[in-house]
């Protein structure tokens, strides 16, 4: 019997830093989402499109859900709630080494109450602490399935795709079959610059750092010219981003350019400016224009 055609949305949900974006990239086999060792890296609902057998899996990466009273925190929670409400399958991820808790159990129960199939997925099982911890975790209520994956090694990833696909509604593809995401390249480019800044600035990174691509010129076939502003909210942060003699922003630029050239498959000329914009993270319009809402 022929496999049934299926298509639908699977939301990747969980605490900050549990490995959602890394897993999205692994499930897609492409680097779409940015990843960092710091929590609260993802700031938007990012769609990745994954054909799997006769199914089209529409994977939604979401911001990790954390408390926090800033406008950006509230916006990030809203994005995750929205993805959870709109999905056909909920993939609730947790690093078993970090333990289960009321927050995750609350999510599980709410998703189940809405009638969503819930997959409880242990992440980072290549790490000894995660590999040793019991799964499903003590304290977790019933789920449709419990799986264990490592985005790093790829273990469990094929089984996860099968488990998601089997629970999607029947129907033909919802997006063109060769499409990878619904986000424009310009947005993905801004994200790569932000990732480079995360990696270069480490502990010095301001919470409120954003990237705004202000120029995008593809008029030459062999070269893309990109100009982007690194937005910060304080003069002191601007100095950190620039670094002594401009050394820091130069390092960010070199790292970002390498990522952009991989993304675009062309040479890239990248110009970065550190710009003071005191209230960007509190402005609903700005959050929108930056693609964060
Ligand atoms: N060992 C190991 N580390 C992982 C794995 N997946 C992710 N990580 C690491 O965990 C950290 C967080 O990964 P992200 O994918 O950015 O986590 P996230 O859940 O998207 O985080 P937010 O966007 O902040 O909510 C990074 O340092 C990753 O390299 C994995 O399978 N194994
Ligand atoms: Mg993320």
């Amino acid at each position: 019997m022929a496999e049934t055609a299926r298509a639908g949305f699977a939301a990747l949900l969980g605490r900050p830093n549990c490995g959602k974006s890394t897993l999205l990239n692994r499930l897609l086999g492409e680097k779409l989402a940015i990843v960092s060792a710091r929590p609260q890296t993802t700031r938007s609902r990012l769609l990745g499109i994954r054909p799997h057998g006769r199914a089209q899996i529409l994977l939604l990466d979401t911001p990790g859900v954390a408390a926090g009273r800033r406008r950006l925190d509230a916006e990030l929670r809203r994005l995750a709630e929205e993805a959870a409400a709109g999905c056909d399958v909920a993939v609730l991820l947790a690093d078993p080494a970090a333990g289960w808790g009321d927050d995750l159990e609350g999510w599980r129960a709410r998703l189940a109450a809405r009638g969503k199939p819930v997959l409880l997925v242990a992440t980072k099982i290549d790490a000894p602490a995660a590999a040793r911890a019991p799964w499903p975790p003590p304290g977790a209520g019933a789920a449709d399935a419990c799986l264990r994956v490592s985005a790093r090694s790829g273990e469990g990833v094929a089984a996860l795709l099968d488990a998601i696909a089997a629970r999607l509604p029947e129907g033909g593809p919802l997006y063109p079959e060769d499409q990878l995401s619904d986000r424009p390249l310009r947005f993905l480019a801004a994200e790569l610059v932000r990732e480079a800044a995360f990696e270069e600035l480490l502990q010095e990174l301001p919470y409120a750092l954003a990237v705004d691509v202000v120029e995008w010129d593809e008029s030459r076939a062999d070269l893309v010219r990109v100009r982007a502003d690194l937005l910060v909210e304080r003069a002191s942060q601007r100095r950190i981003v620039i670094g002594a003699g401009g050394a820091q922003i130069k390092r960010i630029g070199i790292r970002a350019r390498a990522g952009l050239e991989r993304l675009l498959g062309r040479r890239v000329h990248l110009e970065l400016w550190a710009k003071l914009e005191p209230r960007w993270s509190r402005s609903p319009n700005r959050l929108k224009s930056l693609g964060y809402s």
Side-chain angles (χ1 to χ4, degrees), residues 16-22 36-37 39-42 64 124 126 151-152:
N17 226 32
C18 70
K20 299 175 292 297
S21 299
T22 312
S36 90
Q40 293 199 301
T41 303
T42 302
K124 309 188 188 183
D126 57 285
R152 190 158 288 177

Side-chain angles (χ1 to χ4, degrees), residues 12-26 33-44 61-65 76 93 95 122-128 130 149-155 194-195 198:
L12 304 177
L13 303 162
R15 289 177 185 152
N17 226 32
C18 70
K20 299 175 292 297
S21 299
T22 312
L23 183 63
L24 175 79
N25 291 339
R26 171 61 90 159
I34 66 166
V35 165
S36 90
R38 294 182 36 127
Q40 293 199 301
T41 303
T42 302
R43 287 184 184 157
S44 58
D61 188 15
T62 66
V65 178
L76 299 185
L93 305 168
D95 177 349
T123 57
K124 309 188 188 183
I125 58 157
D126 57 285
V149 302
S150 163
R152 190 158 288 177
S153 71
E155 187 180 346
R194 198 159 63 83
E195 181 178 58
F198 269 54

Side-chain angles (χ1 to χ4, degrees), residues 31 34-37 188-202 205 209 211 230 246-264 266 268-272:
K31 177 171 169 68
I34 66 166
V35 165
S36 90
L188 300 176
E191 288 288 272
L192 283 178
V193 174
R194 198 159 63 83
E195 181 178 58
F198 269 54
E199 282 167 350
E200 290 295 339
L201 292 164
L202 300 173
L205 183 83
L209 181 122
V211 176
L230 294 168
Q248 187 64 271
I249 198 165
K250 189 169 173 200
R251 276 196 295 274
I252 295 171
I254 290 169
R255 191 186 275 269
R257 188 164 66 98
L260 288 174
E261 290 186 338
R262 271 194 302 276
L263 174 73
L264 302 171
R266 267 184 286 174
V268 169
H269 181 277
L270 175 65
E271 200 181 318
L272 292 182

Side-chain angles (χ1 to χ4, degrees), residues 54-110:
R54 292 198 62 211
Q56 185 178 61
I57 306 176
L58 304 168
L59 293 158
L60 293 170
D61 188 15
T62 66
V65 178
R69 299 180 49 215
R70 293 171 282 205
R71 181 180 283 278
L72 183 55
D73 293 313
E75 193 56 36
L76 299 185
R77 275 196 297 276
R78 197 184 59 76
L79 289 169
E81 293 285 352
E82 224 174 65
C87 72
D88 300 297
V89 176
V91 183
L92 190 52
L93 305 168
D95 177 349
W100 195 246
D102 291 346
D103 55 338
L104 292 169
E105 184 53 23
W107 273 86
R108 189 208 58 76
R110 277 200 306 284

Side-chain angles (χ1 to χ4, degrees), residues 112-147:
R114 282 184 185 143
K116 310 275 181 194
V118 179
L119 309 181
L120 284 193
V121 178
T123 57
K124 309 188 188 183
I125 58 157
D126 57 285
R132 273 196 306 271
W135 197 259
D144 281 75
C146 292
L147 298 105

Side-chain angles (χ1 to χ4, degrees), residues 203-281:
Q203 286 82 347
E204 291 194 309
L205 183 83
Y207 167 79
L209 181 122
V211 176
D212 189 16
V213 172
V214 291
E215 249 178 67
W216 183 276
D217 176 1
E218 294 189 77
S219 57
R220 277 179 56 177
D222 61 330
L223 177 80
V224 186
R225 282 179 186 282
V226 181
R227 190 157 70 84
D229 290 338
L230 294 168
L231 307 182
V232 291
E233 297 192 311
R234 293 201 201 103
S236 59
Q237 297 170 341
R238 185 165 174 273
R239 283 194 294 278
I240 289 172
V241 168
I242 293 171
Q248 187 64 271
I249 198 165
K250 189 169 173 200
R251 276 196 295 274
I252 295 171
I254 290 169
R255 191 186 275 269
R257 188 164 66 98
L260 288 174
E261 290 186 338
R262 271 194 302 276
L263 174 73
L264 302 171
R266 267 184 286 174
R267 277 201 305 133
V268 169
H269 181 277
L270 175 65
E271 200 181 318
L272 292 182
W273 291 87
K275 188 172 162 194
L276 191 59
E277 199 176 299
R279 295 178 62 84
W280 77 258
S281 74

